Structures are given as structure tokens and as C-alpha cells.
Amino acid sequence: QVQLVESGGGLVQPGGSLRLSCAASSIFSINTMGWYRQAPGEQRDLVAAITSGGTTDYADAVKGRFTISKDNAKNTVYLQMNSLKPEDTALYYCNAFFRGFAYWGQGTQVTVSS
């Protein structure tokens, strides 16, 4: 069992920045972690993912604006979000894939509005 604890969401004006953090409670190294988001009435979509080796994947909508990073020693993943737009407003979920199972955080709200 892996528990994921997220932090860093909030309200920000368009063009602003936020940094999300997600810590996984595991004594074992988790290879793949990432962030998904879900807006009201929409499906949950991948935002960014990263492996322990540093391989990253981004949704086209966030390329050049968001950066995902991972502290392997702490099993913690970060999402630096810059140049935020109103369409980035969503509930952001941390995800970890470990030993064949997918684990999810409780979600942290990001609202981009003036």
C-alpha cells in the first residue's frame, strides 16, 4: 500500500505560478510518478509523468510551461506550473505506479482566475 500526500494547490491569477508537491509513503523506490488533472464534467487526463531515470512526458497543453521533477531519495514528485491559464483550472491528482498497481492522491485544487 502506498499513500500519496499532495500539497501546493490554490488560487492564482492568469500568468502566475504554483508548485505542487506529492510525497509517497513507501520505503521502496517508486519508479514512475506523475500528475493528472480533472476539470468539472471532464475526464481525468495526464499532465506530466517522470521516471526515476528522469524520463519525462508532458501533455501538449502544458509543454513549455510546466516542469515535473522527482526526488528519488524522498519518493517525492513536484510540478512547477508557470504562465498559468484559466483553462489549467482543475483538480490535480498525484499518481504513482508501483508493482503493477496505480495509486492516487486525494487531489489538490488549482484555480486560475482574475
Side-chain angles (χ1 to χ4, degrees), residues 74-110:
K74 296 180 179 180
N75 270 338
T76 299
V77 65
Y78 306 95
L79 186 67
Q80 178 66 43
M81 304 185 293
N82 299 328
S83 302
L84 282 160
K85 304 175 181 180
E87 50 264 43
D88 294 318
T89 296
L91 193 58
Y92 283 68
Y93 293 93
C94 180
N95 169 268
F97 190 77
F98 181 63
R99 294 185 176 178
F101 291 93
Y103 297 89
W104 296 94
Q106 78 283 0
T108 184
Q109 179 67 38
V110 171

PDB file of all heavy atoms in Angstrom, residues 74-110:
ATOM      1  N   LYS A  74      13.481  10.769  -1.687  1.00  0.00           N
ATOM      2  CA  LYS A  74      12.310  11.081  -0.863  1.00  0.00           C
ATOM      3  C   LYS A  74      11.013  10.544  -1.459  1.00  0.00           C
ATOM      4  O   LYS A  74       9.939  10.756  -0.881  1.00  0.00           O
ATOM      5  CB  LYS A  74      12.189  12.594  -0.691  1.00  0.00           C
ATOM      6  CG  LYS A  74      13.345  13.237   0.061  1.00  0.00           C
ATOM      7  CD  LYS A  74      13.135  14.743   0.192  1.00  0.00           C
ATOM      8  CE  LYS A  74      14.275  15.391   0.957  1.00  0.00           C
ATOM      9  NZ  LYS A  74      14.084  16.865   1.084  1.00  0.00           N
ATOM     10  N   ASN A  75      11.099   9.894  -2.616  1.00  0.00           N
ATOM     11  CA  ASN A  75       9.871   9.446  -3.300  1.00  0.00           C
ATOM     12  C   ASN A  75       8.871  10.598  -3.414  1.00  0.00           C
ATOM     13  O   ASN A  75       7.675  10.436  -3.148  1.00  0.00           O
ATOM     14  CB  ASN A  75       9.225   8.266  -2.564  1.00  0.00           C
ATOM     15  CG  ASN A  75       9.726   6.929  -3.049  1.00  0.00           C
ATOM     16  OD1 ASN A  75      10.238   6.799  -4.162  1.00  0.00           O
ATOM     17  ND2 ASN A  75       9.595   5.922  -2.208  1.00  0.00           N
ATOM     18  N   THR A  76       9.379  11.740  -3.803  1.00  0.00           N
ATOM     19  CA  THR A  76       8.547  12.938  -3.903  1.00  0.00           C
ATOM     20  C   THR A  76       8.625  13.494  -5.325  1.00  0.00           C
ATOM     21  O   THR A  76       9.714  13.575  -5.898  1.00  0.00           O
ATOM     22  CB  THR A  76       8.996  14.007  -2.905  1.00  0.00           C
ATOM     23  OG1 THR A  76       8.856  13.484  -1.575  1.00  0.00           O
ATOM     24  CG2 THR A  76       8.156  15.265  -3.017  1.00  0.00           C
ATOM     25  N   VAL A  77       7.477  13.857  -5.849  1.00  0.00           N
ATOM     26  CA  VAL A  77       7.407  14.434  -7.185  1.00  0.00           C
ATOM     27  C   VAL A  77       6.865  15.850  -7.091  1.00  0.00           C
ATOM     28  O   VAL A  77       6.021  16.150  -6.234  1.00  0.00           O
ATOM     29  CB  VAL A  77       6.535  13.564  -8.118  1.00  0.00           C
ATOM     30  CG1 VAL A  77       5.081  13.535  -7.677  1.00  0.00           C
ATOM     31  CG2 VAL A  77       6.651  14.020  -9.567  1.00  0.00           C
ATOM     32  N   TYR A  78       7.380  16.714  -7.942  1.00  0.00           N
ATOM     33  CA  TYR A  78       6.995  18.121  -7.946  1.00  0.00           C
ATOM     34  C   TYR A  78       6.478  18.504  -9.332  1.00  0.00           C
ATOM     35  O   TYR A  78       6.911  17.948 -10.340  1.00  0.00           O
ATOM     36  CB  TYR A  78       8.186  19.005  -7.601  1.00  0.00           C
ATOM     37  CG  TYR A  78       8.878  18.633  -6.320  1.00  0.00           C
ATOM     38  CD1 TYR A  78       9.987  17.794  -6.328  1.00  0.00           C
ATOM     39  CD2 TYR A  78       8.423  19.114  -5.097  1.00  0.00           C
ATOM     40  CE1 TYR A  78      10.622  17.439  -5.155  1.00  0.00           C
ATOM     41  CE2 TYR A  78       9.059  18.768  -3.909  1.00  0.00           C
ATOM     42  CZ  TYR A  78      10.158  17.934  -3.945  1.00  0.00           C
ATOM     43  OH  TYR A  78      10.781  17.577  -2.780  1.00  0.00           O
ATOM     44  N   LEU A  79       5.587  19.473  -9.354  1.00  0.00           N
ATOM     45  CA  LEU A  79       5.124  20.026 -10.620  1.00  0.00           C
ATOM     46  C   LEU A  79       5.187  21.538 -10.523  1.00  0.00           C
ATOM     47  O   LEU A  79       4.400  22.157  -9.792  1.00  0.00           O
ATOM     48  CB  LEU A  79       3.700  19.577 -10.939  1.00  0.00           C
ATOM     49  CG  LEU A  79       3.177  20.000 -12.310  1.00  0.00           C
ATOM     50  CD1 LEU A  79       3.945  19.273 -13.423  1.00  0.00           C
ATOM     51  CD2 LEU A  79       1.676  19.717 -12.444  1.00  0.00           C
ATOM     52  N   GLN A  80       6.148  22.130 -11.215  1.00  0.00           N
ATOM     53  CA  GLN A  80       6.257  23.576 -11.285  1.00  0.00           C
ATOM     54  C   GLN A  80       5.406  24.065 -12.447  1.00  0.00           C
ATOM     55  O   GLN A  80       5.634  23.685 -13.592  1.00  0.00           O
ATOM     56  CB  GLN A  80       7.712  23.999 -11.488  1.00  0.00           C
ATOM     57  CG  GLN A  80       7.917  25.493 -11.614  1.00  0.00           C
ATOM     58  CD  GLN A  80       7.578  26.242 -10.329  1.00  0.00           C
ATOM     59  OE1 GLN A  80       7.932  25.794  -9.241  1.00  0.00           O
ATOM     60  NE2 GLN A  80       6.887  27.365 -10.446  1.00  0.00           N
ATOM     61  N   MET A  81       4.437  24.905 -12.141  1.00  0.00           N
ATOM     62  CA  MET A  81       3.494  25.381 -13.147  1.00  0.00           C
ATOM     63  C   MET A  81       3.664  26.888 -13.322  1.00  0.00           C
ATOM     64  O   MET A  81       3.436  27.652 -12.378  1.00  0.00           O
ATOM     65  CB  MET A  81       2.054  25.054 -12.721  1.00  0.00           C
ATOM     66  CG  MET A  81       1.826  23.578 -12.448  1.00  0.00           C
ATOM     67  SD  MET A  81       0.112  23.182 -12.091  1.00  0.00           S
ATOM     68  CE  MET A  81      -0.091  24.030 -10.529  1.00  0.00           C
ATOM     69  N   ASN A  82       4.090  27.286 -14.489  1.00  0.00           N
ATOM     70  CA  ASN A  82       4.289  28.702 -14.812  1.00  0.00           C
ATOM     71  C   ASN A  82       3.329  29.137 -15.910  1.00  0.00           C
ATOM     72  O   ASN A  82       2.753  28.298 -16.604  1.00  0.00           O
ATOM     73  CB  ASN A  82       5.729  28.948 -15.257  1.00  0.00           C
ATOM     74  CG  ASN A  82       6.751  28.607 -14.190  1.00  0.00           C
ATOM     75  OD1 ASN A  82       6.498  28.750 -12.996  1.00  0.00           O
ATOM     76  ND2 ASN A  82       7.921  28.154 -14.625  1.00  0.00           N
ATOM     77  N   SER A  83       3.186  30.435 -16.047  1.00  0.00           N
ATOM     78  CA  SER A  83       2.313  31.003 -17.091  1.00  0.00           C
ATOM     79  C   SER A  83       0.941  30.343 -17.081  1.00  0.00           C
ATOM     80  O   SER A  83       0.420  29.928 -18.120  1.00  0.00           O
ATOM     81  CB  SER A  83       2.970  30.840 -18.470  1.00  0.00           C
ATOM     82  OG  SER A  83       4.226  31.461 -18.505  1.00  0.00           O
ATOM     83  N   LEU A  84       0.379  30.246 -15.903  1.00  0.00           N
ATOM     84  CA  LEU A  84      -0.898  29.546 -15.750  1.00  0.00           C
ATOM     85  C   LEU A  84      -2.024  30.269 -16.486  1.00  0.00           C
ATOM     86  O   LEU A  84      -2.064  31.506 -16.552  1.00  0.00           O
ATOM     87  CB  LEU A  84      -1.236  29.388 -14.274  1.00  0.00           C
ATOM     88  CG  LEU A  84      -0.461  28.260 -13.584  1.00  0.00           C
ATOM     89  CD1 LEU A  84      -0.458  28.443 -12.077  1.00  0.00           C
ATOM     90  CD2 LEU A  84      -1.058  26.912 -13.955  1.00  0.00           C
ATOM     91  N   LYS A  85      -2.941  29.457 -17.019  1.00  0.00           N
ATOM     92  CA  LYS A  85      -4.078  29.961 -17.781  1.00  0.00           C
ATOM     93  C   LYS A  85      -5.371  29.516 -17.108  1.00  0.00           C
ATOM     94  O   LYS A  85      -5.379  28.499 -16.398  1.00  0.00           O
ATOM     95  CB  LYS A  85      -4.039  29.398 -19.197  1.00  0.00           C
ATOM     96  CG  LYS A  85      -2.750  29.666 -19.956  1.00  0.00           C
ATOM     97  CD  LYS A  85      -2.770  28.964 -21.311  1.00  0.00           C
ATOM     98  CE  LYS A  85      -1.477  29.185 -22.079  1.00  0.00           C
ATOM     99  NZ  LYS A  85      -1.487  28.499 -23.398  1.00  0.00           N
ATOM    100  N   PRO A  86      -6.466  30.224 -17.352  1.00  0.00           N
ATOM    101  CA  PRO A  86      -7.745  29.796 -16.769  1.00  0.00           C
ATOM    102  C   PRO A  86      -8.098  28.344 -17.107  1.00  0.00           C
ATOM    103  O   PRO A  86      -8.691  27.646 -16.282  1.00  0.00           O
ATOM    104  CB  PRO A  86      -8.747  30.778 -17.375  1.00  0.00           C
ATOM    105  CG  PRO A  86      -7.942  32.017 -17.607  1.00  0.00           C
ATOM    106  CD  PRO A  86      -6.591  31.518 -18.029  1.00  0.00           C
ATOM    107  N   GLU A  87      -7.715  27.892 -18.284  1.00  0.00           N
ATOM    108  CA  GLU A  87      -8.021  26.515 -18.673  1.00  0.00           C
ATOM    109  C   GLU A  87      -7.190  25.478 -17.919  1.00  0.00           C
ATOM    110  O   GLU A  87      -7.425  24.267 -18.076  1.00  0.00           O
ATOM    111  CB  GLU A  87      -7.848  26.322 -20.189  1.00  0.00           C
ATOM    112  CG  GLU A  87      -6.533  26.812 -20.751  1.00  0.00           C
ATOM    113  CD  GLU A  87      -6.627  28.206 -21.330  1.00  0.00           C
ATOM    114  OE1 GLU A  87      -7.261  29.089 -20.698  1.00  0.00           O
ATOM    115  OE2 GLU A  87      -6.072  28.428 -22.431  1.00  0.00           O
ATOM    116  N   ASP A  88      -6.224  25.906 -17.125  1.00  0.00           N
ATOM    117  CA  ASP A  88      -5.491  24.984 -16.261  1.00  0.00           C
ATOM    118  C   ASP A  88      -6.259  24.692 -14.971  1.00  0.00           C
ATOM    119  O   ASP A  88      -5.841  23.834 -14.182  1.00  0.00           O
ATOM    120  CB  ASP A  88      -4.114  25.566 -15.892  1.00  0.00           C
ATOM    121  CG  ASP A  88      -3.204  25.690 -17.086  1.00  0.00           C
ATOM    122  OD1 ASP A  88      -3.164  24.760 -17.913  1.00  0.00           O
ATOM    123  OD2 ASP A  88      -2.523  26.734 -17.203  1.00  0.00           O
ATOM    124  N   THR A  89      -7.353  25.387 -14.757  1.00  0.00           N
ATOM    125  CA  THR A  89      -8.164  25.176 -13.562  1.00  0.00           C
ATOM    126  C   THR A  89      -8.702  23.752 -13.536  1.00  0.00           C
ATOM    127  O   THR A  89      -9.334  23.297 -14.487  1.00  0.00           O
ATOM    128  CB  THR A  89      -9.335  26.170 -13.518  1.00  0.00           C
ATOM    129  OG1 THR A  89      -8.812  27.496 -13.397  1.00  0.00           O
ATOM    130  CG2 THR A  89     -10.259  25.880 -12.342  1.00  0.00           C
ATOM    131  N   ALA A  90      -8.409  23.037 -12.440  1.00  0.00           N
ATOM    132  CA  ALA A  90      -8.817  21.632 -12.319  1.00  0.00           C
ATOM    133  C   ALA A  90      -8.406  21.109 -10.952  1.00  0.00           C
ATOM    134  O   ALA A  90      -7.685  21.776 -10.210  1.00  0.00           O
ATOM    135  CB  ALA A  90      -8.173  20.787 -13.407  1.00  0.00           C
ATOM    136  N   LEU A  91      -8.877  19.925 -10.669  1.00  0.00           N
ATOM    137  CA  LEU A  91      -8.396  19.181  -9.505  1.00  0.00           C
ATOM    138  C   LEU A  91      -7.212  18.348  -9.981  1.00  0.00           C
ATOM    139  O   LEU A  91      -7.343  17.571 -10.932  1.00  0.00           O
ATOM    140  CB  LEU A  91      -9.509  18.298  -8.952  1.00  0.00           C
ATOM    141  CG  LEU A  91      -9.322  17.677  -7.572  1.00  0.00           C
ATOM    142  CD1 LEU A  91      -9.099  18.758  -6.526  1.00  0.00           C
ATOM    143  CD2 LEU A  91     -10.553  16.846  -7.216  1.00  0.00           C
ATOM    144  N   TYR A  92      -6.066  18.555  -9.346  1.00  0.00           N
ATOM    145  CA  TYR A  92      -4.842  17.875  -9.762  1.00  0.00           C
ATOM    146  C   TYR A  92      -4.573  16.697  -8.835  1.00  0.00           C
ATOM    147  O   TYR A  92      -4.547  16.850  -7.612  1.00  0.00           O
ATOM    148  CB  TYR A  92      -3.665  18.854  -9.727  1.00  0.00           C
ATOM    149  CG  TYR A  92      -3.647  19.800 -10.898  1.00  0.00           C
ATOM    150  CD1 TYR A  92      -4.624  20.784 -11.043  1.00  0.00           C
ATOM    151  CD2 TYR A  92      -2.669  19.704 -11.887  1.00  0.00           C
ATOM    152  CE1 TYR A  92      -4.627  21.642 -12.130  1.00  0.00           C
ATOM    153  CE2 TYR A  92      -2.654  20.553 -12.973  1.00  0.00           C
ATOM    154  CZ  TYR A  92      -3.641  21.522 -13.092  1.00  0.00           C
ATOM    155  OH  TYR A  92      -3.630  22.371 -14.180  1.00  0.00           O
ATOM    156  N   TYR A  93      -4.355  15.535  -9.449  1.00  0.00           N
ATOM    157  CA  TYR A  93      -4.135  14.303  -8.701  1.00  0.00           C
ATOM    158  C   TYR A  93      -2.707  13.799  -8.928  1.00  0.00           C
ATOM    159  O   TYR A  93      -2.240  13.721 -10.065  1.00  0.00           O
ATOM    160  CB  TYR A  93      -5.086  13.212  -9.162  1.00  0.00           C
ATOM    161  CG  TYR A  93      -6.536  13.463  -8.843  1.00  0.00           C
ATOM    162  CD1 TYR A  93      -7.376  14.079  -9.770  1.00  0.00           C
ATOM    163  CD2 TYR A  93      -7.079  13.061  -7.622  1.00  0.00           C
ATOM    164  CE1 TYR A  93      -8.709  14.301  -9.483  1.00  0.00           C
ATOM    165  CE2 TYR A  93      -8.415  13.272  -7.337  1.00  0.00           C
ATOM    166  CZ  TYR A  93      -9.217  13.894  -8.265  1.00  0.00           C
ATOM    167  OH  TYR A  93     -10.541  14.100  -7.981  1.00  0.00           O
ATOM    168  N   CYS A  94      -2.084  13.415  -7.841  1.00  0.00           N
ATOM    169  CA  CYS A  94      -0.788  12.743  -7.924  1.00  0.00           C
ATOM    170  C   CYS A  94      -1.017  11.259  -8.198  1.00  0.00           C
ATOM    171  O   CYS A  94      -1.985  10.666  -7.689  1.00  0.00           O
ATOM    172  CB  CYS A  94      -0.046  12.935  -6.611  1.00  0.00           C
ATOM    173  SG  CYS A  94       1.578  12.149  -6.556  1.00  0.00           S
ATOM    174  N   ASN A  95      -0.138  10.675  -8.967  1.00  0.00           N
ATOM    175  CA  ASN A  95      -0.247   9.257  -9.323  1.00  0.00           C
ATOM    176  C   ASN A  95       1.108   8.581  -9.159  1.00  0.00           C
ATOM    177  O   ASN A  95       2.146   9.167  -9.464  1.00  0.00           O
ATOM    178  CB  ASN A  95      -0.727   9.138 -10.773  1.00  0.00           C
ATOM    179  CG  ASN A  95      -0.606   7.737 -11.312  1.00  0.00           C
ATOM    180  OD1 ASN A  95       0.411   7.373 -11.907  1.00  0.00           O
ATOM    181  ND2 ASN A  95      -1.641   6.946 -11.120  1.00  0.00           N
ATOM    182  N   ALA A  96       1.065   7.353  -8.656  1.00  0.00           N
ATOM    183  CA  ALA A  96       2.281   6.547  -8.559  1.00  0.00           C
ATOM    184  C   ALA A  96       1.965   5.148  -9.061  1.00  0.00           C
ATOM    185  O   ALA A  96       0.911   4.586  -8.737  1.00  0.00           O
ATOM    186  CB  ALA A  96       2.773   6.500  -7.118  1.00  0.00           C
ATOM    187  N   PHE A  97       2.874   4.598  -9.860  1.00  0.00           N
ATOM    188  CA  PHE A  97       2.709   3.245 -10.375  1.00  0.00           C
ATOM    189  C   PHE A  97       3.785   2.382  -9.744  1.00  0.00           C
ATOM    190  O   PHE A  97       4.984   2.625  -9.933  1.00  0.00           O
ATOM    191  CB  PHE A  97       2.824   3.238 -11.899  1.00  0.00           C
ATOM    192  CG  PHE A  97       2.432   1.937 -12.518  1.00  0.00           C
ATOM    193  CD1 PHE A  97       1.093   1.602 -12.650  1.00  0.00           C
ATOM    194  CD2 PHE A  97       3.389   1.033 -12.962  1.00  0.00           C
ATOM    195  CE1 PHE A  97       0.703   0.400 -13.207  1.00  0.00           C
ATOM    196  CE2 PHE A  97       3.017  -0.165 -13.518  1.00  0.00           C
ATOM    197  CZ  PHE A  97       1.675  -0.486 -13.654  1.00  0.00           C
ATOM    198  N   PHE A  98       3.343   1.384  -8.970  1.00  0.00           N
ATOM    199  CA  PHE A  98       4.276   0.610  -8.159  1.00  0.00           C
ATOM    200  C   PHE A  98       3.838  -0.840  -8.113  1.00  0.00           C
ATOM    201  O   PHE A  98       2.720  -1.152  -7.689  1.00  0.00           O
ATOM    202  CB  PHE A  98       4.337   1.210  -6.760  1.00  0.00           C
ATOM    203  CG  PHE A  98       5.281   0.515  -5.825  1.00  0.00           C
ATOM    204  CD1 PHE A  98       6.645   0.478  -6.093  1.00  0.00           C
ATOM    205  CD2 PHE A  98       4.824  -0.087  -4.664  1.00  0.00           C
ATOM    206  CE1 PHE A  98       7.522  -0.153  -5.231  1.00  0.00           C
ATOM    207  CE2 PHE A  98       5.681  -0.715  -3.798  1.00  0.00           C
ATOM    208  CZ  PHE A  98       7.041  -0.745  -4.070  1.00  0.00           C
ATOM    209  N   ARG A  99       4.728  -1.725  -8.559  1.00  0.00           N
ATOM    210  CA  ARG A  99       4.486  -3.182  -8.520  1.00  0.00           C
ATOM    211  C   ARG A  99       3.134  -3.542  -9.123  1.00  0.00           C
ATOM    212  O   ARG A  99       2.377  -4.344  -8.540  1.00  0.00           O
ATOM    213  CB  ARG A  99       4.621  -3.686  -7.084  1.00  0.00           C
ATOM    214  CG  ARG A  99       6.050  -3.554  -6.564  1.00  0.00           C
ATOM    215  CD  ARG A  99       6.237  -4.148  -5.178  1.00  0.00           C
ATOM    216  NE  ARG A  99       7.642  -4.072  -4.768  1.00  0.00           N
ATOM    217  CZ  ARG A  99       8.107  -4.483  -3.595  1.00  0.00           C
ATOM    218  NH1 ARG A  99       7.281  -5.016  -2.707  1.00  0.00           N
ATOM    219  NH2 ARG A  99       9.378  -4.370  -3.291  1.00  0.00           N
ATOM    220  N   GLY A 100       2.837  -2.939 -10.261  1.00  0.00           N
ATOM    221  CA  GLY A 100       1.642  -3.319 -11.001  1.00  0.00           C
ATOM    222  C   GLY A 100       0.362  -2.627 -10.580  1.00  0.00           C
ATOM    223  O   GLY A 100      -0.698  -2.893 -11.155  1.00  0.00           O
ATOM    224  N   PHE A 101       0.454  -1.760  -9.598  1.00  0.00           N
ATOM    225  CA  PHE A 101      -0.736  -1.052  -9.131  1.00  0.00           C
ATOM    226  C   PHE A 101      -0.569   0.454  -9.299  1.00  0.00           C
ATOM    227  O   PHE A 101       0.526   0.980  -9.175  1.00  0.00           O
ATOM    228  CB  PHE A 101      -1.016  -1.370  -7.657  1.00  0.00           C
ATOM    229  CG  PHE A 101      -1.453  -2.783  -7.410  1.00  0.00           C
ATOM    230  CD1 PHE A 101      -0.533  -3.763  -7.090  1.00  0.00           C
ATOM    231  CD2 PHE A 101      -2.794  -3.141  -7.510  1.00  0.00           C
ATOM    232  CE1 PHE A 101      -0.924  -5.074  -6.873  1.00  0.00           C
ATOM    233  CE2 PHE A 101      -3.200  -4.438  -7.289  1.00  0.00           C
ATOM    234  CZ  PHE A 101      -2.258  -5.412  -6.971  1.00  0.00           C
ATOM    235  N   ALA A 102      -1.705   1.111  -9.547  1.00  0.00           N
ATOM    236  CA  ALA A 102      -1.721   2.570  -9.633  1.00  0.00           C
ATOM    237  C   ALA A 102      -2.317   3.134  -8.353  1.00  0.00           C
ATOM    238  O   ALA A 102      -3.361   2.663  -7.887  1.00  0.00           O
ATOM    239  CB  ALA A 102      -2.550   3.023 -10.824  1.00  0.00           C
ATOM    240  N   TYR A 103      -1.667   4.093  -7.778  1.00  0.00           N
ATOM    241  CA  TYR A 103      -2.120   4.737  -6.552  1.00  0.00           C
ATOM    242  C   TYR A 103      -2.389   6.215  -6.848  1.00  0.00           C
ATOM    243  O   TYR A 103      -1.714   6.825  -7.681  1.00  0.00           O
ATOM    244  CB  TYR A 103      -1.064   4.617  -5.449  1.00  0.00           C
ATOM    245  CG  TYR A 103      -0.788   3.190  -5.051  1.00  0.00           C
ATOM    246  CD1 TYR A 103       0.182   2.439  -5.704  1.00  0.00           C
ATOM    247  CD2 TYR A 103      -1.517   2.585  -4.031  1.00  0.00           C
ATOM    248  CE1 TYR A 103       0.426   1.121  -5.357  1.00  0.00           C
ATOM    249  CE2 TYR A 103      -1.272   1.269  -3.667  1.00  0.00           C
ATOM    250  CZ  TYR A 103      -0.297   0.542  -4.336  1.00  0.00           C
ATOM    251  OH  TYR A 103      -0.066  -0.764  -3.989  1.00  0.00           O
ATOM    252  N   TRP A 104      -3.378   6.754  -6.122  1.00  0.00           N
ATOM    253  CA  TRP A 104      -3.809   8.132  -6.361  1.00  0.00           C
ATOM    254  C   TRP A 104      -3.832   8.927  -5.062  1.00  0.00           C
ATOM    255  O   TRP A 104      -4.176   8.400  -4.009  1.00  0.00           O
ATOM    256  CB  TRP A 104      -5.207   8.159  -6.969  1.00  0.00           C
ATOM    257  CG  TRP A 104      -5.268   7.534  -8.319  1.00  0.00           C
ATOM    258  CD1 TRP A 104      -5.584   6.241  -8.610  1.00  0.00           C
ATOM    259  CD2 TRP A 104      -5.000   8.169  -9.580  1.00  0.00           C
ATOM    260  NE1 TRP A 104      -5.518   6.036  -9.966  1.00  0.00           N
ATOM    261  CE2 TRP A 104      -5.165   7.203 -10.581  1.00  0.00           C
ATOM    262  CE3 TRP A 104      -4.624   9.471  -9.949  1.00  0.00           C
ATOM    263  CZ2 TRP A 104      -4.979   7.488 -11.943  1.00  0.00           C
ATOM    264  CZ3 TRP A 104      -4.443   9.758 -11.288  1.00  0.00           C
ATOM    265  CH2 TRP A 104      -4.616   8.771 -12.266  1.00  0.00           C
ATOM    266  N   GLY A 105      -3.485  10.204  -5.176  1.00  0.00           N
ATOM    267  CA  GLY A 105      -3.660  11.106  -4.064  1.00  0.00           C
ATOM    268  C   GLY A 105      -5.106  11.577  -3.975  1.00  0.00           C
ATOM    269  O   GLY A 105      -5.947  11.210  -4.805  1.00  0.00           O
ATOM    270  N   GLN A 106      -5.382  12.407  -2.980  1.00  0.00           N
ATOM    271  CA  GLN A 106      -6.752  12.862  -2.760  1.00  0.00           C
ATOM    272  C   GLN A 106      -7.124  14.032  -3.669  1.00  0.00           C
ATOM    273  O   GLN A 106      -8.298  14.373  -3.782  1.00  0.00           O
ATOM    274  CB  GLN A 106      -6.943  13.276  -1.285  1.00  0.00           C
ATOM    275  CG  GLN A 106      -6.385  14.645  -0.917  1.00  0.00           C
ATOM    276  CD  GLN A 106      -4.871  14.675  -0.753  1.00  0.00           C
ATOM    277  OE1 GLN A 106      -4.193  13.657  -0.915  1.00  0.00           O
ATOM    278  NE2 GLN A 106      -4.348  15.837  -0.406  1.00  0.00           N
ATOM    279  N   GLY A 107      -6.142  14.628  -4.315  1.00  0.00           N
ATOM    280  CA  GLY A 107      -6.396  15.743  -5.215  1.00  0.00           C
ATOM    281  C   GLY A 107      -6.165  17.082  -4.539  1.00  0.00           C
ATOM    282  O   GLY A 107      -6.459  17.253  -3.359  1.00  0.00           O
ATOM    283  N   THR A 108      -5.636  18.017  -5.300  1.00  0.00           N
ATOM    284  CA  THR A 108      -5.449  19.384  -4.803  1.00  0.00           C
ATOM    285  C   THR A 108      -5.973  20.346  -5.874  1.00  0.00           C
ATOM    286  O   THR A 108      -5.667  20.197  -7.060  1.00  0.00           O
ATOM    287  CB  THR A 108      -3.973  19.661  -4.455  1.00  0.00           C
ATOM    288  OG1 THR A 108      -3.850  20.972  -3.897  1.00  0.00           O
ATOM    289  CG2 THR A 108      -3.051  19.563  -5.668  1.00  0.00           C
ATOM    290  N   GLN A 109      -6.787  21.299  -5.440  1.00  0.00           N
ATOM    291  CA  GLN A 109      -7.458  22.186  -6.385  1.00  0.00           C
ATOM    292  C   GLN A 109      -6.518  23.299  -6.846  1.00  0.00           C
ATOM    293  O   GLN A 109      -5.863  23.954  -6.024  1.00  0.00           O
ATOM    294  CB  GLN A 109      -8.705  22.807  -5.744  1.00  0.00           C
ATOM    295  CG  GLN A 109      -9.467  23.767  -6.635  1.00  0.00           C
ATOM    296  CD  GLN A 109     -10.104  23.086  -7.827  1.00  0.00           C
ATOM    297  OE1 GLN A 109     -10.613  21.958  -7.728  1.00  0.00           O
ATOM    298  NE2 GLN A 109     -10.087  23.757  -8.980  1.00  0.00           N
ATOM    299  N   VAL A 110      -6.492  23.511  -8.151  1.00  0.00           N
ATOM    300  CA  VAL A 110      -5.784  24.645  -8.739  1.00  0.00           C
ATOM    301  C   VAL A 110      -6.821  25.478  -9.488  1.00  0.00           C
ATOM    302  O   VAL A 110      -7.514  24.973 -10.368  1.00  0.00           O
ATOM    303  CB  VAL A 110      -4.673  24.184  -9.703  1.00  0.00           C
ATOM    304  CG1 VAL A 110      -4.100  25.372 -10.465  1.00  0.00           C
ATOM    305  CG2 VAL A 110      -3.583  23.449  -8.936  1.00  0.00           C
TER     306      VAL A 110
END
